[in-house]
Short mmCIF file of all heavy atoms in Angstrom, two decimals:
data_model
loop_
_atom_site.label_atom_id
_atom_site.label_comp_id
_atom_site.label_asym_id
_atom_site.label_seq_id
_atom_site.Cartn_x
_atom_site.Cartn_y
_atom_site.Cartn_z
N ALA A 29 -8.17 -0.04 -23.64
CA ALA A 29 -6.75 0.21 -23.33
C ALA A 29 -6.14 -1.01 -22.63
O ALA A 29 -6.78 -1.74 -21.90
CB ALA A 29 -6.67 1.46 -22.48
N GLU A 30 -4.88 -1.09 -22.82
CA GLU A 30 -4.09 -2.21 -22.16
C GLU A 30 -4.05 -1.96 -20.63
O GLU A 30 -3.93 -0.83 -20.16
CB GLU A 30 -2.67 -2.17 -22.68
CG GLU A 30 -1.85 -3.22 -22.08
CD GLU A 30 -0.35 -3.18 -22.61
OE1 GLU A 30 -0.10 -2.43 -23.61
OE2 GLU A 30 0.45 -3.90 -22.08
N LYS A 31 -4.23 -3.03 -19.94
CA LYS A 31 -4.20 -2.95 -18.43
C LYS A 31 -2.78 -3.22 -18.00
O LYS A 31 -1.97 -3.87 -18.61
CB LYS A 31 -5.11 -4.05 -17.83
CG LYS A 31 -6.56 -3.88 -18.15
CD LYS A 31 -7.15 -2.60 -17.49
CE LYS A 31 -8.61 -2.55 -17.75
NZ LYS A 31 -9.27 -1.43 -17.07
N HIS A 32 -2.41 -2.55 -16.83
CA HIS A 32 -1.06 -2.57 -16.32
C HIS A 32 -1.03 -3.16 -14.89
O HIS A 32 -2.05 -3.03 -14.15
CB HIS A 32 -0.48 -1.13 -16.30
CG HIS A 32 -0.37 -0.55 -17.64
ND1 HIS A 32 0.60 -0.87 -18.54
CD2 HIS A 32 -1.18 0.31 -18.32
CE1 HIS A 32 0.48 -0.13 -19.65
NE2 HIS A 32 -0.66 0.54 -19.50
N ASN A 33 0.08 -3.65 -14.46
CA ASN A 33 0.36 -4.02 -13.06
C ASN A 33 1.20 -2.88 -12.56
O ASN A 33 2.25 -2.60 -13.05
CB ASN A 33 1.14 -5.33 -12.91
CG ASN A 33 0.29 -6.49 -13.33
OD1 ASN A 33 -0.93 -6.57 -13.07
ND2 ASN A 33 0.81 -7.38 -14.15
N ILE A 34 0.70 -2.21 -11.49
CA ILE A 34 1.40 -1.06 -10.91
C ILE A 34 1.63 -1.30 -9.45
O ILE A 34 0.72 -1.58 -8.72
CB ILE A 34 0.57 0.24 -11.09
CG1 ILE A 34 0.36 0.42 -12.66
CG2 ILE A 34 1.29 1.43 -10.46
CD1 ILE A 34 -0.64 1.52 -12.96
N CYS A 35 2.91 -1.20 -9.01
CA CYS A 35 3.32 -1.33 -7.64
C CYS A 35 3.55 0.06 -6.96
O CYS A 35 4.29 0.83 -7.56
CB CYS A 35 4.53 -2.16 -7.51
SG CYS A 35 5.05 -2.50 -5.80
N LEU A 36 2.88 0.28 -5.88
CA LEU A 36 3.03 1.56 -5.13
C LEU A 36 3.90 1.24 -3.91
O LEU A 36 3.47 0.47 -3.05
CB LEU A 36 1.62 2.03 -4.68
CG LEU A 36 0.64 2.33 -5.83
CD1 LEU A 36 -0.72 2.60 -5.20
CD2 LEU A 36 1.10 3.50 -6.59
N LEU A 37 5.10 1.74 -3.91
CA LEU A 37 6.00 1.61 -2.79
C LEU A 37 5.95 2.85 -1.87
O LEU A 37 6.16 3.92 -2.39
CB LEU A 37 7.46 1.41 -3.28
CG LEU A 37 7.65 0.26 -4.24
CD1 LEU A 37 8.99 0.33 -4.90
CD2 LEU A 37 7.59 -1.07 -3.50
N ASN A 38 5.62 2.58 -0.54
CA ASN A 38 5.47 3.76 0.22
C ASN A 38 5.78 3.36 1.67
O ASN A 38 5.56 2.23 2.08
CB ASN A 38 4.09 4.31 0.13
CG ASN A 38 3.99 5.69 0.63
OD1 ASN A 38 4.69 6.54 0.12
ND2 ASN A 38 3.08 5.91 1.51
N ASP A 39 6.19 4.30 2.51
CA ASP A 39 6.48 4.05 3.90
C ASP A 39 5.34 4.42 4.81
O ASP A 39 5.39 4.33 6.02
CB ASP A 39 7.75 4.71 4.36
CG ASP A 39 7.72 6.24 4.31
OD1 ASP A 39 6.73 6.74 3.72
OD2 ASP A 39 8.62 6.86 4.80
N SER A 40 4.20 4.85 4.29
CA SER A 40 3.05 5.28 5.04
C SER A 40 1.80 4.65 4.43
O SER A 40 1.50 4.96 3.23
CB SER A 40 2.97 6.82 4.99
OG SER A 40 1.92 7.27 5.81
N PHE A 41 1.15 3.80 5.24
CA PHE A 41 -0.07 3.10 4.71
C PHE A 41 -0.84 2.68 5.91
O PHE A 41 -0.28 2.46 6.93
CB PHE A 41 0.36 1.92 3.89
CG PHE A 41 -0.74 1.29 3.12
CD1 PHE A 41 -1.25 1.82 1.98
CD2 PHE A 41 -1.33 0.11 3.62
CE1 PHE A 41 -2.32 1.21 1.29
CE2 PHE A 41 -2.35 -0.47 2.93
CZ PHE A 41 -2.86 0.06 1.76
N PRO A 42 -2.15 2.59 5.87
CA PRO A 42 -2.92 2.20 7.03
C PRO A 42 -2.36 0.95 7.71
O PRO A 42 -1.89 0.07 6.96
CB PRO A 42 -4.32 1.93 6.51
CG PRO A 42 -4.37 2.90 5.33
CD PRO A 42 -3.04 2.87 4.70
N PRO A 43 -2.35 0.87 8.97
CA PRO A 43 -3.13 1.68 9.93
C PRO A 43 -2.59 3.07 10.26
O PRO A 43 -3.19 3.75 11.06
CB PRO A 43 -3.18 0.75 11.18
CG PRO A 43 -1.88 0.06 11.13
CD PRO A 43 -1.64 -0.21 9.71
N VAL A 44 -1.43 3.43 9.68
CA VAL A 44 -0.95 4.79 9.86
C VAL A 44 -1.95 5.70 9.15
O VAL A 44 -2.37 5.38 8.04
CB VAL A 44 0.46 4.91 9.23
CG1 VAL A 44 0.89 6.39 9.23
CG2 VAL A 44 1.46 4.04 9.90
N ILE A 45 -2.33 6.73 9.80
CA ILE A 45 -3.34 7.67 9.22
C ILE A 45 -2.66 9.03 9.02
O ILE A 45 -2.32 9.73 10.06
CB ILE A 45 -4.53 7.78 10.18
CG1 ILE A 45 -5.22 6.46 10.34
CG2 ILE A 45 -5.52 8.82 9.58
CD1 ILE A 45 -6.36 6.44 11.29
N ASP A 46 -2.48 9.36 7.79
CA ASP A 46 -1.91 10.64 7.43
C ASP A 46 -2.28 10.89 5.97
O ASP A 46 -2.85 10.00 5.30
CB ASP A 46 -0.43 10.82 7.67
CG ASP A 46 0.43 9.88 6.87
OD1 ASP A 46 0.01 9.27 5.91
OD2 ASP A 46 1.64 9.73 7.27
N GLY A 47 -1.96 12.05 5.41
CA GLY A 47 -2.32 12.37 4.07
C GLY A 47 -1.67 11.49 3.08
O GLY A 47 -2.29 11.15 2.02
N VAL A 48 -0.40 11.12 3.24
CA VAL A 48 0.29 10.24 2.34
C VAL A 48 -0.42 8.87 2.26
O VAL A 48 -0.59 8.33 1.19
CB VAL A 48 1.78 10.14 2.70
CG1 VAL A 48 2.48 9.16 1.82
CG2 VAL A 48 2.42 11.52 2.63
N ALA A 49 -0.69 8.29 3.43
CA ALA A 49 -1.33 6.99 3.48
C ALA A 49 -2.70 7.08 2.75
O ALA A 49 -3.02 6.11 2.01
CB ALA A 49 -1.50 6.52 4.95
N ASN A 50 -3.44 8.09 2.99
CA ASN A 50 -4.73 8.27 2.33
C ASN A 50 -4.56 8.31 0.83
O ASN A 50 -5.38 7.80 0.06
CB ASN A 50 -5.48 9.48 2.89
CG ASN A 50 -5.96 9.35 4.23
OD1 ASN A 50 -6.09 8.21 4.76
ND2 ASN A 50 -6.18 10.42 4.95
N ALA A 51 -3.56 9.10 0.33
CA ALA A 51 -3.27 9.22 -1.03
C ALA A 51 -2.92 7.87 -1.68
O ALA A 51 -3.46 7.52 -2.78
CB ALA A 51 -2.18 10.24 -1.35
N VAL A 52 -2.13 7.12 -1.04
CA VAL A 52 -1.73 5.76 -1.56
C VAL A 52 -2.96 4.87 -1.67
O VAL A 52 -3.17 4.16 -2.70
CB VAL A 52 -0.66 5.04 -0.72
CG1 VAL A 52 -0.38 3.62 -1.14
CG2 VAL A 52 0.60 5.92 -0.78
N VAL A 53 -3.81 4.86 -0.68
CA VAL A 53 -5.06 4.03 -0.74
C VAL A 53 -5.95 4.50 -1.95
O VAL A 53 -6.41 3.68 -2.70
CB VAL A 53 -5.86 4.13 0.60
CG1 VAL A 53 -7.20 3.52 0.43
CG2 VAL A 53 -5.08 3.48 1.71
N ASN A 54 -6.08 5.82 -2.07
CA ASN A 54 -6.89 6.35 -3.14
C ASN A 54 -6.34 6.02 -4.53
O ASN A 54 -7.03 5.66 -5.48
CB ASN A 54 -7.13 7.84 -3.05
CG ASN A 54 -8.00 8.20 -1.87
OD1 ASN A 54 -8.84 7.41 -1.44
ND2 ASN A 54 -7.83 9.38 -1.33
N TYR A 55 -5.01 6.11 -4.67
CA TYR A 55 -4.34 5.78 -5.93
C TYR A 55 -4.54 4.32 -6.25
O TYR A 55 -4.87 3.95 -7.41
CB TYR A 55 -2.86 6.07 -5.86
CG TYR A 55 -2.45 7.50 -5.88
CD1 TYR A 55 -1.23 7.88 -5.28
CD2 TYR A 55 -3.20 8.48 -6.48
CE1 TYR A 55 -0.82 9.21 -5.30
CE2 TYR A 55 -2.82 9.83 -6.50
CZ TYR A 55 -1.65 10.21 -5.86
OH TYR A 55 -1.23 11.48 -5.86
N ALA A 56 -4.37 3.47 -5.23
CA ALA A 56 -4.57 2.01 -5.50
C ALA A 56 -6.00 1.69 -5.95
O ALA A 56 -6.15 0.94 -6.84
CB ALA A 56 -4.16 1.20 -4.22
N TYR A 57 -6.96 2.31 -5.27
CA TYR A 57 -8.37 2.07 -5.69
C TYR A 57 -8.56 2.52 -7.10
O TYR A 57 -9.22 1.83 -7.88
CB TYR A 57 -9.33 2.80 -4.77
CG TYR A 57 -9.69 2.04 -3.49
CD1 TYR A 57 -9.36 2.62 -2.24
CD2 TYR A 57 -10.35 0.80 -3.52
CE1 TYR A 57 -9.70 1.93 -1.10
CE2 TYR A 57 -10.63 0.17 -2.34
CZ TYR A 57 -10.38 0.72 -1.13
OH TYR A 57 -10.70 0.05 0.02
N GLU A 58 -8.09 3.66 -7.49
CA GLU A 58 -8.24 4.20 -8.83
C GLU A 58 -7.56 3.36 -9.90
O GLU A 58 -8.06 3.14 -11.00
CB GLU A 58 -7.81 5.67 -8.92
CG GLU A 58 -8.81 6.59 -8.29
CD GLU A 58 -10.18 6.57 -8.95
OE1 GLU A 58 -10.33 6.71 -10.16
OE2 GLU A 58 -11.19 6.31 -8.17
N ILE A 59 -6.32 2.88 -9.57
CA ILE A 59 -5.60 2.00 -10.47
C ILE A 59 -6.42 0.80 -10.70
O ILE A 59 -6.60 0.27 -11.87
CB ILE A 59 -4.20 1.67 -9.93
CG1 ILE A 59 -3.36 2.92 -10.00
CG2 ILE A 59 -3.63 0.54 -10.69
CD1 ILE A 59 -2.05 2.86 -9.18
N GLU A 60 -6.97 0.14 -9.64
CA GLU A 60 -7.74 -1.04 -9.77
C GLU A 60 -9.01 -0.78 -10.61
O GLU A 60 -9.39 -1.58 -11.39
CB GLU A 60 -8.19 -1.55 -8.38
CG GLU A 60 -7.06 -2.20 -7.59
CD GLU A 60 -6.85 -3.64 -7.94
OE1 GLU A 60 -7.79 -4.39 -8.18
OE2 GLU A 60 -5.67 -4.04 -8.00
N ARG A 61 -9.60 0.36 -10.43
CA ARG A 61 -10.88 0.68 -11.10
C ARG A 61 -10.68 0.96 -12.56
O ARG A 61 -11.52 0.55 -13.34
CB ARG A 61 -11.51 1.84 -10.33
CG ARG A 61 -12.93 2.17 -10.76
CD ARG A 61 -13.60 3.10 -9.83
NE ARG A 61 -13.14 4.48 -10.03
CZ ARG A 61 -13.63 5.32 -10.90
NH1 ARG A 61 -14.55 4.91 -11.72
NH2 ARG A 61 -13.17 6.52 -10.96
N LYS A 62 -9.60 1.70 -12.92
CA LYS A 62 -9.50 2.17 -14.27
C LYS A 62 -8.33 1.67 -15.10
O LYS A 62 -8.33 1.73 -16.30
CB LYS A 62 -9.35 3.70 -14.24
CG LYS A 62 -10.54 4.47 -13.75
CD LYS A 62 -10.27 5.90 -13.83
CE LYS A 62 -11.50 6.72 -13.38
NZ LYS A 62 -11.33 8.15 -13.47
N HIS A 63 -7.27 1.25 -14.41
CA HIS A 63 -6.01 1.01 -15.20
C HIS A 63 -5.40 -0.37 -15.12
O HIS A 63 -4.46 -0.66 -15.86
CB HIS A 63 -4.97 2.04 -14.72
CG HIS A 63 -5.42 3.43 -14.83
ND1 HIS A 63 -5.52 4.06 -16.07
CD2 HIS A 63 -5.79 4.36 -13.88
CE1 HIS A 63 -5.99 5.29 -15.82
NE2 HIS A 63 -6.18 5.44 -14.57
N GLY A 64 -5.85 -1.18 -14.20
CA GLY A 64 -5.26 -2.58 -14.12
C GLY A 64 -5.24 -3.04 -12.71
O GLY A 64 -6.20 -2.90 -11.93
N ARG A 65 -4.06 -3.58 -12.31
CA ARG A 65 -3.86 -4.19 -10.99
C ARG A 65 -2.92 -3.33 -10.23
O ARG A 65 -1.83 -3.01 -10.63
CB ARG A 65 -3.37 -5.59 -11.17
CG ARG A 65 -3.18 -6.27 -9.83
CD ARG A 65 -2.78 -7.76 -10.03
NE ARG A 65 -2.74 -8.39 -8.80
CZ ARG A 65 -1.71 -9.20 -8.47
NH1 ARG A 65 -0.77 -9.49 -9.32
NH2 ARG A 65 -1.70 -9.78 -7.24
N ALA A 66 -3.32 -2.99 -8.97
CA ALA A 66 -2.43 -2.28 -8.06
C ALA A 66 -1.89 -3.23 -7.00
O ALA A 66 -2.66 -4.11 -6.58
CB ALA A 66 -3.18 -1.14 -7.37
N ILE A 67 -0.62 -3.07 -6.59
CA ILE A 67 -0.06 -3.84 -5.52
C ILE A 67 0.66 -2.73 -4.68
O ILE A 67 1.39 -1.91 -5.17
CB ILE A 67 0.99 -4.82 -6.06
CG1 ILE A 67 0.35 -5.81 -7.02
CG2 ILE A 67 1.63 -5.51 -4.87
CD1 ILE A 67 1.36 -6.66 -7.76
N VAL A 68 0.42 -2.87 -3.30
CA VAL A 68 1.06 -1.90 -2.45
C VAL A 68 2.10 -2.64 -1.65
O VAL A 68 1.87 -3.62 -1.12
CB VAL A 68 0.03 -1.23 -1.47
CG1 VAL A 68 0.73 -0.34 -0.45
CG2 VAL A 68 -0.98 -0.41 -2.28
N ALA A 69 3.32 -2.06 -1.60
CA ALA A 69 4.42 -2.60 -0.72
C ALA A 69 4.76 -1.50 0.25
O ALA A 69 5.04 -0.37 -0.05
CB ALA A 69 5.61 -2.88 -1.63
N THR A 70 4.72 -1.89 1.52
CA THR A 70 4.87 -1.00 2.63
C THR A 70 5.47 -1.71 3.83
O THR A 70 5.35 -2.93 3.97
CB THR A 70 3.57 -0.33 2.98
OG1 THR A 70 3.70 0.77 3.87
CG2 THR A 70 2.55 -1.36 3.54
N PRO A 71 6.11 -1.02 4.83
CA PRO A 71 6.65 -1.69 6.02
C PRO A 71 5.62 -2.35 6.84
O PRO A 71 4.42 -1.96 6.88
CB PRO A 71 7.36 -0.55 6.75
CG PRO A 71 7.57 0.47 5.78
CD PRO A 71 6.43 0.42 4.84
N GLU A 72 6.10 -3.41 7.54
CA GLU A 72 5.18 -4.06 8.55
C GLU A 72 4.85 -3.16 9.65
O GLU A 72 5.66 -2.27 10.06
CB GLU A 72 5.96 -5.26 9.16
CG GLU A 72 6.16 -6.37 8.20
CD GLU A 72 6.94 -7.51 8.85
OE1 GLU A 72 7.64 -7.33 9.88
OE2 GLU A 72 6.92 -8.65 8.30
N VAL A 73 3.61 -3.21 10.13
CA VAL A 73 3.15 -2.44 11.29
C VAL A 73 2.48 -3.47 12.21
O VAL A 73 1.55 -4.21 11.69
CB VAL A 73 2.17 -1.38 10.90
CG1 VAL A 73 1.58 -0.70 12.11
CG2 VAL A 73 2.86 -0.35 10.00
N PRO A 74 2.88 -3.58 13.45
CA PRO A 74 2.21 -4.56 14.37
C PRO A 74 0.68 -4.39 14.35
O PRO A 74 0.21 -3.25 14.45
CB PRO A 74 2.79 -4.24 15.69
CG PRO A 74 4.10 -3.59 15.37
CD PRO A 74 3.95 -2.82 14.14
N GLY A 75 -0.04 -5.51 14.15
CA GLY A 75 -1.47 -5.39 14.24
C GLY A 75 -2.17 -4.97 12.95
O GLY A 75 -3.38 -4.92 12.92
N ALA A 76 -1.40 -4.67 11.88
CA ALA A 76 -2.04 -4.23 10.60
C ALA A 76 -2.88 -5.39 10.05
O ALA A 76 -2.43 -6.54 10.01
CB ALA A 76 -0.91 -3.81 9.64
N ASP A 77 -4.07 -5.05 9.53
CA ASP A 77 -4.94 -6.03 8.92
C ASP A 77 -5.28 -5.46 7.51
O ASP A 77 -6.08 -4.54 7.41
CB ASP A 77 -6.22 -6.25 9.70
CG ASP A 77 -7.17 -7.20 9.05
OD1 ASP A 77 -6.78 -7.87 8.07
OD2 ASP A 77 -8.34 -7.31 9.48
N ASP A 78 -4.68 -6.08 6.52
CA ASP A 78 -4.89 -5.58 5.16
C ASP A 78 -5.91 -6.37 4.36
O ASP A 78 -6.08 -6.14 3.19
CB ASP A 78 -3.57 -5.67 4.38
CG ASP A 78 -2.47 -4.82 5.07
OD1 ASP A 78 -2.78 -3.71 5.52
OD2 ASP A 78 -1.36 -5.32 5.16
N SER A 79 -6.74 -7.16 5.01
CA SER A 79 -7.71 -8.08 4.41
C SER A 79 -8.85 -7.29 3.77
O SER A 79 -9.54 -7.82 2.89
CB SER A 79 -8.21 -9.11 5.38
OG SER A 79 -8.89 -8.53 6.40
N GLY A 80 -9.09 -6.08 4.14
CA GLY A 80 -10.22 -5.34 3.68
C GLY A 80 -9.93 -4.61 2.33
O GLY A 80 -10.88 -4.05 1.79
N PHE A 81 -8.69 -4.59 1.86
CA PHE A 81 -8.38 -3.92 0.64
C PHE A 81 -8.61 -4.84 -0.51
O PHE A 81 -8.32 -6.07 -0.42
CB PHE A 81 -6.94 -3.41 0.66
CG PHE A 81 -6.65 -2.39 1.71
CD1 PHE A 81 -5.90 -2.66 2.83
CD2 PHE A 81 -7.24 -1.13 1.57
CE1 PHE A 81 -5.67 -1.70 3.78
CE2 PHE A 81 -7.03 -0.15 2.57
CZ PHE A 81 -6.19 -0.48 3.63
N PRO A 82 -9.11 -4.32 -1.70
CA PRO A 82 -9.35 -5.18 -2.83
C PRO A 82 -8.09 -5.43 -3.71
O PRO A 82 -8.20 -5.93 -4.79
CB PRO A 82 -10.39 -4.37 -3.61
CG PRO A 82 -10.07 -2.94 -3.31
CD PRO A 82 -9.62 -2.98 -1.84
N PHE A 83 -6.97 -5.01 -3.17
CA PHE A 83 -5.66 -5.13 -3.85
C PHE A 83 -4.65 -5.76 -2.89
O PHE A 83 -4.83 -5.65 -1.69
CB PHE A 83 -5.16 -3.81 -4.39
CG PHE A 83 -5.28 -2.67 -3.40
CD1 PHE A 83 -4.33 -2.47 -2.46
CD2 PHE A 83 -6.37 -1.79 -3.45
CE1 PHE A 83 -4.46 -1.45 -1.50
CE2 PHE A 83 -6.51 -0.79 -2.56
CZ PHE A 83 -5.56 -0.59 -1.54
N PRO A 84 -3.65 -6.41 -3.34
CA PRO A 84 -2.66 -6.98 -2.47
C PRO A 84 -1.80 -5.96 -1.78
O PRO A 84 -1.47 -4.93 -2.42
CB PRO A 84 -1.76 -7.87 -3.41
CG PRO A 84 -2.43 -7.89 -4.74
CD PRO A 84 -3.41 -6.80 -4.75
N VAL A 85 -1.52 -6.22 -0.49
CA VAL A 85 -0.62 -5.35 0.22
C VAL A 85 0.48 -6.29 0.80
O VAL A 85 0.26 -7.26 1.43
CB VAL A 85 -1.34 -4.72 1.46
CG1 VAL A 85 -0.33 -3.87 2.26
CG2 VAL A 85 -2.48 -3.86 0.97
N ILE A 86 1.66 -5.96 0.38
CA ILE A 86 2.90 -6.71 0.74
C ILE A 86 3.59 -5.96 1.83
O ILE A 86 3.93 -4.85 1.66
CB ILE A 86 3.84 -6.95 -0.45
CG1 ILE A 86 3.06 -7.71 -1.54
CG2 ILE A 86 5.08 -7.69 -0.05
CD1 ILE A 86 3.75 -7.68 -2.92
N ARG A 87 3.74 -6.64 2.97
CA ARG A 87 4.48 -6.02 4.11
C ARG A 87 5.90 -6.53 4.17
O ARG A 87 6.13 -7.73 4.09
CB ARG A 87 3.74 -6.25 5.42
CG ARG A 87 2.35 -5.75 5.47
CD ARG A 87 2.38 -4.28 5.87
NE ARG A 87 0.97 -3.74 5.93
CZ ARG A 87 0.67 -2.56 6.40
NH1 ARG A 87 1.67 -1.79 6.84
NH2 ARG A 87 -0.51 -2.08 6.44
N TYR A 88 6.84 -5.64 4.33
CA TYR A 88 8.23 -6.05 4.50
C TYR A 88 8.76 -5.51 5.83
O TYR A 88 8.30 -4.53 6.33
CB TYR A 88 9.11 -5.57 3.37
CG TYR A 88 9.05 -4.11 3.08
CD1 TYR A 88 9.89 -3.23 3.80
CD2 TYR A 88 8.15 -3.57 2.12
CE1 TYR A 88 9.85 -1.93 3.58
CE2 TYR A 88 8.14 -2.18 1.91
CZ TYR A 88 8.98 -1.37 2.62
OH TYR A 88 8.94 0.00 2.44
#
Side-chain angles (χ1 to χ4, degrees):
E30 180 181 351
K31 297 292 184 174
H32 300 279
N33 293 318
I34 300 170
C35 183
L36 301 169
L37 301 168
N38 200 54
D39 64 350
S40 184
F41 191 78
V44 174
I45 299 174
D46 63 16
V48 174
N50 290 337
V52 172
V53 170
N54 290 335
Y55 289 152
Y57 276 119
E58 285 301 304
I59 290 166
E60 288 277 321
R61 191 167 74 83
K62 293 182 178 180
H63 304 288
R65 181 172 183 225
I67 302 167
V68 174
T70 190
E72 291 177 342
V73 174
D77 178 11
D78 302 317
S79 63
F81 296 109
F83 43 83
V85 178
I86 300 167
R87 298 278 180 171
Y88 56 85

